[in-house]
Amino acid sequence: MASSRTEERSIQTSIVEKARYAVGGDSEEEIEAELHKLEHCCVSHRQYFIFALPIFGKAKYFVWILASLASIGGILYGIDQSLISSAGLYIPEDLHYDSNIESIISGFMPLGGIFGAFLVYPANELFGRKWSIASACLLDICGGILEADAHSWQMLLAGRMIVGVGVAIEAATVPGYIAECSPKHRRGSLVSLYQLCVMLGLLFGYIDAAIFVNLAGNWRWMLGSSLLFSGIFLISICVLPESPRYLMKEGRRVEAYFVWKRIRGFQTFEEKKEFFWMEQQVLKEMQESKDRWNVLDFVRKPRCRRAAQYAIILMILQQFSGINTINHYMGILMLEIGMNKQNAVYMSVIGGATGLLSTIPAIYLVDRLGRRTLLLSFIGGVFCGLLIIGFSFWTTNIRTKVGLYIWGVVVYYLFWGSCLGPIPWVVGSEVWPTYLRSQGLCIADISKWIGEFVTTFAFPYMVNAMKKTGIFCGFYAGIILMGTLYLMFFMPETKCKTLEELEEVFHQPMRVLLKQNKNNLKETWQALKGFHVNKIWLCSP
């Protein structure tokens, strides 16, 4: 192994020059020679891993397998939200606590998420993407055991916070890991698999609750069922490779080559160029950031500052869109509109199923239509869903109230799952330069968990201050309206660009982006007036 690392370092000395050939495309022979050297090192030092087994298939299929297995982490996140919604209907009776403790139990999982978000950067730098995710999964298992075996609300609270720490680490790391392993024309779709699994987890949680609702100690069975998915995820992540960009950053060039070969391949000249271009960018960024405090680049470098602003605003918009209130308090809200506990658990499945189905089109469209077009096309439906939910609380007839509320939830999930669900995860995984990716993922994750904590923990107090109609129609819908205005004028398009090509997108001044978006809005308005939808929804192949 030592001789392998020594040989890697000797090869590394000429990389910048070779990468220049690769980027410019001036000498395909030079690229082939360099790849031959790497292949020789890989074979001679037996750099083989479990994921090299033929069962994983060709490179074009393996990247989908990798993204699918990594995205199982989203199931853990989703299932926790929906399980506590249903289990929370029964826990207070067994553990004997009041409504104030109930808000703490719901809200302190996101508080644990805030602590976990601060661990994203050191974990990703010390352990890498893969083992950070595995560590997060172990925390999920420990927290799940404490939750299911809780004999006091303090023990339940400890389990909730540990789960929050684990979920926060995997929620930040998984999308970034997938983005670093994905080709540019499929990156949005592959990262969106994570949000699909979040919605799948929500649905599984509601289904689990419906299965166990009539058993003795039902809430323990509900919370304990998450351990099945935690175990599956831990096994899955152990057979996956480390991110090639992280390996390159750590100087493990031969391993980076081998992983890239398995997940991306070298069939075309473009794929070969992209590998060396990635290597050049990683080394360039590492050189520029040497011997200084990198995190200050989010303030002093316009490119990094714009990326941080964009990712943070999208994450805050996602969290303050009302999703956490609906997920965490679905069962309680169902009770308050007139259902009994069992029917509240059963009816919650409708929202979870709608959210899952609505995310599927986003996987197909996010790379074909683009992030900007998809988000602006569907965010209006989220606004309408919030209005319907809010106004349902005005009615006095129980049947009308139940019908309006469920209709509003279906409309909300139908549009939220296609835009505000996946796109913040996609953007938050792709906009950062490589040398700041761990810090960037940490910043986006902190923003997400602060938003979730505020909207979850404060919801009972917000009800007293604004009433339910005011929360949904005034607060959440108002934030959606303001966020839409920002997106219309300041949201860049990032589809079909490599992570290295995004440097150019965020290097341009905001006034240039504002001018481009104004022109796009004018063209969109003209197309709408003429009913030329095909000019708005222009799909890439």
Side-chain angles (χ1 to χ4, degrees):
M1 181 61 70
S3 61
S4 174
R5 292 292 172 85
T6 302
E7 187 167 350
E8 281 193 47
R9 291 191 185 98
S10 66
I11 296 176
Q12 190 82 10
T13 56
S14 64
I15 179 54
V16 174
E17 185 64 30
K18 299 303 178 187
R20 186 178 301 115
Y21 282 116
V23 174
D26 296 325
S27 175
E28 187 171 358
E29 291 76 14
E30 292 282 349
I31 296 173
E32 293 292 348
E34 197 69 14
L35 290 175
H36 181 73
K37 288 182 182 178
L38 290 169
E39 181 67 24
H40 174 73
C41 290
C42 185
V43 173
S44 63
H45 295 288
R46 302 184 183 278
Q47 301 272 338
Y48 291 109
F49 309 88
I50 189 170
F51 61 88
L53 295 174
I55 190 174
F56 288 113
K58 299 179 180 178
K60 64 178 181 179
Y61 303 122
F62 181 72
V63 70
W64 283 95
I65 296 174
L66 178 147
S68 299
L69 293 178
S71 294
I72 295 175
I75 295 179
L76 304 184
Y77 177 29
I79 203 170
D80 178 77
Q81 288 187 318
S82 55
L83 282 176
I84 199 61
S85 170
S86 300
L89 298 175
Y90 298 93
I91 297 175
E93 296 177 4
D94 284 2
L95 300 186
H96 311 293
Y97 59 75
D98 56 21
S99 58
N100 291 328
I101 301 300
E102 187 177 331
S103 68
I104 293 176
I105 296 297
S106 294
F108 270 46
M109 191 280 278
L111 181 61
I114 296 175
F115 291 119
F118 280 101
L119 297 176
V120 170
Y121 168 62
N124 274 259
E125 291 300 301
L126 291 174
F127 308 125
R129 318 307 191 222
K130 171 181 176 176
W131 295 114
S132 293
I133 298 170
S135 301
C137 189
L138 290 174
L139 288 171
D140 287 332
I141 292 173
C142 293
I145 293 173
L146 279 176
E147 284 183 323
D149 194 46
H151 297 288
S152 65
W153 70 264
Q154 292 91 343
M155 186 175 175
L156 178 63
L157 182 61
R160 295 284 293 158
M161 292 195 69
I162 292 173
V163 167
V165 174
V167 169
I169 295 174
E170 65 87 7
T173 308
V174 168
Y177 170 71
I178 296 173
E180 289 186 345
C181 296
S182 303
K184 63 182 181 181
H185 60 287
R186 290 288 178 267
R187 187 174 62 246
S189 298
L190 292 168
V191 175
S192 295
L193 286 174
Y194 179 78
Q195 179 59 31
L196 178 67
C197 284
V198 172
M199 303 311 294
L200 187 61
L202 284 172
L203 179 59
F204 282 167
Y206 293 132
I207 293 174
D208 282 356
I211 291 172
F212 298 119
V213 69
N214 292 317
L215 295 180
N218 50 15
W219 65 269
R220 297 185 186 277
W221 288 98
M222 293 177 190
L223 297 178
S225 64
S226 66
L227 296 175
L228 171 65
F229 299 97
S230 299
I232 294 172
F233 184 46
L234 183 60
I235 295 172
S236 299
I237 202 65
C238 287
V239 303
L240 294 180
E242 182 55 86
S243 157
R245 284 178 172 82
Y246 175 79
L247 291 172
M248 193 67 73
K249 179 174 172 291
E250 292 296 300
R252 297 156 64 181
R253 189 176 181 229
V254 173
E255 291 179 61
Y257 160 80
F258 186 80
V259 172
W260 188 282
K261 178 182 176 182
R262 289 295 301 136
I263 65 177
R264 300 287 301 278
F266 291 101
Q267 282 75 31
T268 67
F269 185 57
E270 182 181 359
E271 289 168 344
K272 298 172 185 177
K273 287 199 301 180
E274 189 178 344
F275 174 78
F276 287 104
W277 192 358
M278 176 270 291
E279 185 173 15
Q280 184 188 41
Q281 287 296 113
V282 169
L283 295 176
K284 178 184 175 183
E285 290 169 353
M286 289 177 60
Q287 184 64 34
E288 290 177 350
S289 62
K290 193 176 181 180
D291 300 326
R292 63 190 180 90
W293 202 14
N294 298 339
V295 73
L296 291 179
D297 285 357
F298 288 117
V299 177
R300 60 192 174 200
K301 281 193 172 185
R303 179 263 182 269
C304 301
R305 190 168 60 246
R306 293 184 193 110
Q309 171 189 307
Y310 179 37
I312 289 171
I313 288 176
L314 273 181
M315 277 297 182
I316 290 176
L317 184 59
Q318 182 194 63
Q319 297 307 308
F320 281 86
S321 64
I323 188 64
N324 300 308
T325 296
I326 294 174
N327 287 342
H328 285 276
Y329 295 98
M330 176 76 80
I332 295 173
L333 289 172
M334 290 283 189
L335 281 182
E336 293 181 355
I337 61 174
M339 294 185 181
N340 60 38
K341 290 182 179 180
Q342 288 181 327
N343 288 338
V345 171
Y346 294 142
M347 293 303 294
S348 298
V349 176
I350 295 176
T354 305
L356 173 64
L357 294 175
S358 66
T359 308
I360 295 174
I363 295 175
Y364 176 78
L365 294 173
V366 68
D367 282 316
R368 290 169 173 82
L369 284 181
R371 289 68 159 144
R372 175 182 165 83
T373 303
L374 189 62
L375 187 51
L376 292 177
S377 295
F378 289 105
I379 198 169
V382 177
F383 181 82
C384 294
L386 288 170
L387 294 183
I388 297 171
I389 293 172
F391 286 126
S392 71
F393 294 103
W394 271 12
T395 61
T396 56
N397 182 277
I398 294 298
R399 289 188 177 183
T400 304
K401 182 180 289 190
V402 171
L404 278 175
Y405 180 80
I406 294 176
W407 179 34
V409 168
V410 169
V411 170
Y412 177 87
Y413 271 123
L414 188 63
F415 290 96
W416 191 91
S418 296
C419 60
L420 280 175
I423 292 177
W425 294 112
V426 174
V427 169
S429 69
E430 68 185 3
V431 297
W432 317 103
T434 302
Y435 77 100
L436 282 176
R437 188 169 304 280
S438 296
Q439 296 95 318
L441 293 171
C442 181
I443 288 174
D445 206 33
I446 291 171
S447 305
K448 178 244 182 301
W449 287 104
I450 289 176
E452 182 163 347
F453 173 69
V454 171
T455 55
T456 302
F457 178 70
F459 177 69
Y461 307 100
M462 293 168 68
V463 169
N464 293 331
M466 294 185 284
K467 307 304 179 186
K468 295 186 182 69
T469 300
I471 293 173
F472 286 100
C473 296
F475 185 70
Y476 292 142
I479 288 176
I480 290 293
L481 186 60
M482 291 187 293
T484 302
L485 292 175
Y486 166 81
L487 297 173
M488 288 172 65
F489 294 104
F490 295 105
M491 181 179 183
E493 183 55 77
T494 57
K495 74 167 184 175
C496 294
K497 295 182 183 295
T498 66
L499 297 179
E500 289 71 36
E501 288 171 343
L502 288 177
E503 291 290 312
E504 300 176 11
V505 174
F506 290 99
H507 269 300
Q508 63 181 358
M510 293 296 285
R511 64 177 183 276
V512 175
L513 178 61
L514 178 61
K515 184 178 179 180
Q516 291 175 355
N517 286 339
K518 281 183 177 179
N519 292 333
N520 289 335
L521 289 172
K522 289 179 181 178
E523 293 175 3
T524 300
W525 177 245
Q526 294 298 325
L528 285 173
K529 288 197 298 184
F531 297 99
H532 300 303
V533 180
N534 59 322
K535 292 184 178 180
I536 302 172
W537 278 38
L538 186 61
C539 291
S540 302

